Amino acid sequence: GPVREALRRLEREKLVVIAPRTGAAVAQMNAQALEAHFRLRAEVGALFVRLAAERVQRPPALVAAILEGAEVLAEVAADESAQVGDYIRARRRLTDLIATLAAAPYVSELSQELEREVAILWAPMNSAARRRRSAGGWRKIARAIASGDPEAAEAEGRRMVLESLDEVRRMEALD
């Protein structure tokens, strides 16, 4: 049925582990795997935004849409009544626009896959303050892309993911 298919999809995305006769459980990563995962994600994410900023031909309408997408993300992050899902959808629209400009589907897909694999860790970290900080980082990335500054885009993309790793480490230390 639909529940079984949903669980299989989550298993393919490495978010759950399905054990025979015991059922599904949230997938766990040890500290070393988590560190490696976030570092890889930081590098792939940095490359993703760098490629967009390096594009020689940056259609003005697409660049304007990226800048607008970053502003919408910031507005959603600042809206205390907005739900986490609203923020995630606005961020996904922004990253889809950046992916279009980057014109590197493999890098884009890999970046999204790496993010999905640790999505379960984001739930406790997804506070309004965290969303506002993240939106500020995406604004910097959008501006760097618009101005054709790949070094700034790359540095901010990497910084944001490594900051998330630091937050996960702090959470793990509290457990």
Side-chain angles (χ1 to χ4, degrees):
V3 172
R4 189 181 324 250
E5 180 53 37
L7 286 171
R8 284 189 186 122
R9 180 173 180 212
L10 291 171
E11 183 180 39
R12 282 191 306 273
E13 293 181 10
K14 300 176 187 158
L15 297 175
V16 300
V17 176
I18 299 176
R21 291 183 291 281
T22 59
V26 174
Q28 301 293 315
M29 276 192 200
N30 65 33
Q32 187 177 12
L34 189 65
E35 176 91 18
H37 182 93
F38 269 87
R39 290 196 176 279
L40 177 60
R41 192 168 152 243
E43 295 309 313
V44 171
L47 175 62
F48 169 63
V49 296
R50 180 184 184 88
L51 290 171
E54 282 180 341
R55 283 290 302 272
V56 173
Q57 293 186 342
R58 290 191 308 275
L62 183 54
V63 171
I66 289 170
L67 289 168
E68 176 65 21
E71 292 307 313
V72 168
L73 184 65
E75 290 169 12
V76 171
D79 182 353
E80 295 293 330
S81 67
Q83 302 295 310
V84 172
D86 299 329
Y87 180 83
I88 291 169
R89 281 186 292 281
R91 188 173 52 109
R92 182 52 40 104
R93 281 192 297 275
L94 175 58
T95 57
D96 286 348
L97 291 166
I98 294 170
T100 299
L101 182 59
Y106 179 74
V107 174
S108 173
E109 289 168 22
L110 182 56
S111 180
Q112 290 175 10
E113 164 114 8
L114 289 167
E115 183 175 331
R116 274 193 305 272
E117 287 180 11
V118 293
I120 213 77
L121 296 172
W122 293 120
M125 291 179 11
N126 222 330
S127 67
R130 173 74 176 97
R131 290 191 297 272
R132 284 191 297 275
R133 284 194 311 276
S134 176
W138 283 106
R139 263 184 170 157
K140 289 177 185 176
I141 289 170
R143 289 176 185 150
I145 289 169
S147 66
D149 187 347
E151 289 80 15
E154 177 181 29
E156 186 60 22
R158 183 178 293 113
R159 185 203 64 76
M160 287 174 54
V161 175
L162 294 178
E163 179 183 279
S164 298
L165 173 59
D166 289 341
E167 289 185 45
V168 169
R169 284 181 186 140
R170 284 192 295 277
M171 283 176 31
E172 293 292 315
L174 296 175
D175 286 347

